[in-house]
Amino acid sequence: MSSKEKTWKEVSIAAVPPKSSEGFLTGDWKTYMPIHELEKCTTCLTCVLLCPEGAIRFRPETGKIEFDFGFCKGCGICANECPTKAITMKIPEE
Ligand code: SF4
Ligand code: SF4
C-alpha cells in the first residue's frame, strides 16, 4: 500500500445494509441444486469447509451434514470437491 492510499478507517461509509447478512437469502434463486447421497458420505466435512455460503452444516446430534437451501446458490463446489462423489448437481424438476 502506498502512503497516499486511505486506510479503511479513512474511507467514508458508502452504504448501510438494511439487515444482517443472515437476512439475505443468497440461495433464493439457483439453477442447480446439490443432491446428497447419505450412503456415500463419510462425513469428512470437506464440503462444510469449502462451501462459500456456509450452507452446509454438520449436526453433531445426528452425526450428519445438512444443507440450508436458503443460502445455497448452486455453485457446485461441494460436488466438485467431495472425495466420494456423494453430492451431485441437478436441475430441479418444475
Ligand atoms: S452448491 Fe455451492 S453454495 Fe450450494 S452447498 Fe454446494 S458449495 Fe455451498
Ligand atoms: S465432502 Fe462428501 S463425503 Fe465429505 S462430508 Fe461432504 S458430502 Fe460427505
Side-chain angles (χ1 to χ4, degrees):
M1 185 171 83
S2 80
S3 60
K4 291 185 179 177
E5 289 178 13
K6 292 181 179 179
T7 68
W8 68 270
K9 289 180 182 172
E10 296 163 326
V11 175
S12 60
I13 298 171
V16 178
K19 50 191 171 182
S20 75
S21 57
E22 285 188 355
F24 289 104
L25 294 182
T26 53
D28 63 356
W29 67 270
K30 59 175 99 41
T31 303
Y32 291 94
M33 278 190 60
I35 307 295
H36 184 222
E37 289 179 75
L38 263 181
E39 56 280 5
K40 289 186 183 175
C41 179
T42 59
T43 325
C44 70
L45 306 186
T46 300
C47 57
V48 175
L49 291 172
L50 296 180
C51 173
E53 297 301 319
I56 314 174
R57 298 191 188 99
F58 175 69
R59 292 276 177 225
E61 60 272 24
T62 62
K64 295 173 183 162
I65 61 162
E66 65 180 36
F67 291 74
D68 185 338
F69 293 109
F71 291 94
C72 167
K73 57 186 180 187
C75 67
I77 291 174
C78 55
N80 277 346
E81 300 302 327
C82 173
T84 62
K85 300 296 171 209
I87 304 171
T88 49
M89 301 304 292
K90 295 261 164 72
I91 297 176
E93 292 175 19
E94 302 205 27

